[in-house]
Amino acid sequence: VQLVESGGGLVQAGGSLRLSCAVSGSTFSINAMGWYRQAPGKKRELVGIISAGGNTNYAHSVKGRFTISRDNAKKTAYLQMNSVKPEDTAVYYCHGDILGFSNRQIGYWGQGTQVTVSS
């Protein structure tokens, strides 16, 4: 199983960016998927989570600006980032709780994608 993020890049403050996280490999089901970020010199922090049923929770710092969605048929989660700020600059990671055919749930991480917001 692999999680691959895409869509990162350089964006001006106030702009928008959409990240994608595609799950590949043999999976029975994909449960919660989350987006995390890590800025230089800081710990990795949760941005938001989406359940298998589509319920979402967000960090206070991004609530109202970021939106997480998923397309279960495509095994892909998205992070829509609007009204971005320089403090949103970080490497963004996708995490997925994947249930395999062995009935074991394992958490997987993507490799990360850099988002840089210029002021």
Side-chain angles (χ1 to χ4, degrees), residues 36-95:
Y36 294 74
R37 66 186 182 186
Q38 187 167 18
K42 294 189 176 181
K43 293 182 180 179
R44 190 173 298 188
E45 64 175 6
L46 174 68
V47 174
I49 287 180
I50 184 166
S51 71
N55 294 318
T56 54
N57 279 292
Y58 299 95
H60 178 74
S61 59
V62 306
K63 197 173 292 187
R65 299 188 298 122
F66 290 8
T67 302
I68 296 176
S69 60
R70 62 191 290 167
D71 185 330
N72 291 330
K74 294 183 178 179
K75 297 201 293 186
T76 300
Y78 304 95
L79 177 65
Q80 178 67 45
M81 306 168 61
N82 296 331
S83 302
V84 296
K85 305 175 181 179
E87 50 263 44
D88 294 322
T89 295
V91 178
Y92 282 72
Y93 297 92
C94 176
H95 180 272

